[in-house]
Amino acid sequence: MRHRSLAAAASASAPPPQMPPSFHFHWRHHAARRLSSTTACLHPPPLQPPRASASASASLLLQLQDHIASGHLSRAHHLFDQIPSPDVRTYNDLIRAYSSSPTAAADGLHLYRRMLRHRVAPNNYTFPFALKACSALVDHHCGRAIHRHAIHAGLQADLFVSTALLDMYVKCACLPDAAHIFATMPARDLVAWNAMLAGYAHHGMYHHAVAHLLSMQMQMHRLRPNASTLVALLPLLAQQGALAQGTSVHAYCIRACLHPNRNSKSKLTDGVLLGTALLDMYAKCGSLLYARRVFDAMPARNEVTWSALIGGFVLCSRMTQAFLLFKAMLAQGLCFLSPTSIASALRACASLDHLRMGEQLHALLAKSGVHADLTAGNSLLSMYAKAGLIDQAIALFDEMAVKDTVSYSALVSGYVQNGRAEEAFLVFKKMQACNVEPDAATMVSLIPACSHLAALQHGRCSHGSVIIRGLASETSICNALIDMYAKCGRIDLSRQVFNMMPSRDIVSWNTMIAGYGIHGLGKEATALFLEMNNLGFPPDGVTFICLLSACSHSGLVIEGKHWFHVMGHGYGLTPRMEHYICMVDLLSRGGFLDEAYEFIQSMPLRADVRVWVALLGACRVYKNIDLGKKVSRMIQELGPEGTGNFVLLSNIYSAAGRFDEAAEVRIIQKVQGFKKSPGCSWIEINGSLHAFVGGDQSHLQSPEIYRELDNILVGIKKLGYQPDTSFVLQDLEEEEKEKALICHSEKLAIAYGILSLSEDKTIFVTKNLRVCGDCHTVIKHISLLKRRAIIVRDANRFHHFKNGQCSCGDFW
DNA sequence: ATAGGGTTAG
């Protein structure tokens, strides 16, 4: 036969050792290729017995071994192609080499298939290597085929083969198959037990894992957990927060001399793995002290050890300490630096508002050549977004060569956090156009965009999208939906989502209570709070902020005082500044201005600007100029933080007719560089948003809108409306002031709603600032005049207008 | 063995 003579010829012309091997390759290679492409495909070659080429093969095999040993797999393959009829062992050698590198696993499987084509029977060494390749590729179809081959070869009960099968099924997430293999294995060693345990652990099957561990120890084989067992088990305990169990594992390590301190040199790697897993378990269970002790006791650490510790501190919100650890790590040498540790440090920066350090880390990433790392890039992106530098975040996003779901989600939430909700939708669209699949976190970032815009139709679409994706029962998604429906004016739908969710967390309760709060439904908020108590769900600080502000928006002053008392004395929660703000807001909105003032002075904390501002707002409403002056002096001392306070202050003066002083405040505001964010109102009509600023004439239907407003004005004046021109800031003639009032953005949006929506529809308008007092009165009258329901959501709360009344009564 | 994006209040 032809190929046999070629082989013989090859053996005859075996080159002397000094000859460059490449020369030799070429010739043989072509011959081999021709063979396989002509004869071999049609008729599988007969099994090779040739002894004629033994010496040539021996030399080739030696070279092959060399290449494999030095990791030159492509050269090895090249050489392999020239071996006329490789035997099982040769195949096994190369398949093994391929299977140990995850990127080459596919080539290993090709080789395995070729082996079958060439009728070389796989043996008990072949199967484990081929199965390992399947594990690397997470390809259970291929794994199952090999399983059948092994059965066919009668080797499925072999210890190595069955352990490899078990491991393959575990890695391919086919746990029932893995459990079946495990149960039917005639013999099991520790490796098999550990593989099965790892399967349970990776899938969070705590009870299975514990049962497995117990039966392992009860065997008569004296199977004692080793380092691998515990390294598989500990992350599961960490995930479950099972500190007691984790501690007893630690104790076992010490008894069994597995403790990192006592390991022999050969087990040093095990020691690092075990120590890292232990400290991570302690950190994830919130026991940072022990995490730190394990860390300090470890004789050797690697970059994972450091990352785990730093990440643990970040997880427990000990940002400053996390940061110090990161610095300590750098001081130990750059070899410990990893994208993972940088990502943790960046999270610390983001929450500490430590932008400058974040930028330095950005530079460090670029310098250490890992700036292309996706994880670290995403952390950086999110840090910029949280710091309000959305443009930086966008630039970074555009630079990233690889983007994934996390990158897109970070950008979506970045836009929303920076008040650019419309653009968040654009990013979401782009993401889908690029075939990047949104997940739960993406939707949790996107849904608040609908809340911001009060875009109910968008919100409903998102809800639908969440249902289609099978995410509708996730707690965080439901929380976002509750908030969205509440802020879009559909508190009934919020409650529906709340009622139907399979499990609730503290955020669910708080969001629902807050939802009732912004709708002025203080009674419902209180009822829900009591229900929460009855179910034994402990409230947190935020719960009380929600509850107090609900009381405040509903005028429930006595109830609010009661809950504030209960909070400290019944639940032992120390009030934070936010709680004091709520209380001052509660008292002063209710008209108890002096009591609010006394309350501030009795506070154990030094009142910050926001506390005083809450009082100032009420001074404006109740026209208490004396107290307003006192309060504004306090605010000036503390330094007004932001624009709103200048506006309030100036409003106080305007209301008192002291326009010079009002103007002065505005001038200071300008000089100090605070820009007043313009009042803006919008309305969603058939799924698209129409926005108006004061005096806006840019809308296509502007003439009709103003004509409608004029008609309304005539109508409501007949009903007894009188313009309250104290809300106009400039010193104008009365008539001019009335004109300035009538083109407030909320009025424009309502007029447009009246024009565009059929009479039975509720008009729902959203405003970014607080509704002006005159508008409030006007809208009441409109609801009577036009006999329609109007809902206005402003920066504070909801106002439901009907038949000339507002749900908030006088608590504007 | 570690690790990135997200929900509530003011």
Side-chain angles (χ1 to χ4, degrees), chain A residues 305-510:
Chain A
T305 319
W306 278 98
S307 282
L309 189 65
I310 296 168
F313 275 83
V314 169
L315 199 73
C316 299
S317 304
R318 305 280 279 274
M319 299 304 181
T320 314
Q321 277 161 293
F323 212 78
L324 290 174
L325 272 171
F326 181 76
K327 282 189 185 163
M329 181 189 81
L330 289 183
Q332 298 276 313
L334 280 174
C335 58
F336 291 127
L337 190 65
S338 68
T340 308
S341 62
I342 296 186
S344 294
L346 280 167
R347 279 189 65 187
C349 289
S351 89
L352 289 172
D353 255 346
H354 211 321
L355 182 62
R356 278 189 52 203
M357 193 49 83
E359 285 169 337
Q360 287 182 30
L361 287 173
H362 191 170
L364 190 64
L365 271 171
K367 216 163 118 185
S368 57
V370 290
H371 62 290
D373 183 81
L374 191 56
T375 302
N378 289 338
S379 300
L380 201 53
L381 178 60
S382 144
M383 187 212 63
Y384 280 127
K386 286 201 183 99
L389 298 176
I390 184 69
D391 293 327
Q392 289 269 44
I394 297 165
L396 188 75
F397 181 82
D398 290 337
E399 273 175 30
M400 286 168 76
V402 187
K403 307 172 181 61
D404 65 355
T405 301
V406 177
S407 327
Y408 279 96
S409 309
L411 193 62
V412 167
S413 92
Y415 272 121
V416 178
Q417 283 160 8
N418 287 281
R420 289 163 64 170
E422 294 104 314
E423 284 150 291
F425 282 106
L426 296 180
V427 175
F428 185 68
K429 271 190 192 156
K430 189 172 156 196
M431 173 176 189
Q432 286 173 306
C434 297
N435 283 323
V436 180
E437 198 55 30
D439 65 5
T442 319
M443 300 310 288
V444 170
S445 309
L446 186 71
I447 294 170
C450 312
S451 317
H452 265 272
L453 296 169
L456 182 61
Q457 319 251 28
H458 283 70
R460 292 196 132 153
C461 283
S462 306
H463 192 169
S465 164
V466 155
I467 294 171
I468 290 166
R469 289 169 210 285
L471 303 169
S473 52
E474 295 217 5
T475 306
S476 55
I477 292 271
C478 291
N479 294 344
L481 287 173
I482 293 171
D483 182 58
M484 183 275 292
Y485 280 124
K487 289 190 177 145
C488 290
R490 294 299 304 268
I491 190 73
D492 54 326
L493 296 180
S494 292
R495 187 60 197 241
Q496 248 179 49
V497 174
F498 181 83
N499 286 343
M500 284 169 68
M501 58 197 292
S503 68
R504 307 186 182 98
D505 62 9
I506 187 69
V507 178
S508 324
W509 291 94
N510 292 352

Side-chain angles (χ1 to χ4, degrees), chain A residues 186-201:
Chain A
R188 310 172 187 99
D189 60 4
L190 190 54
V191 178
W193 281 92
N194 286 350
M196 196 63 233
L197 180 70
Y200 291 134

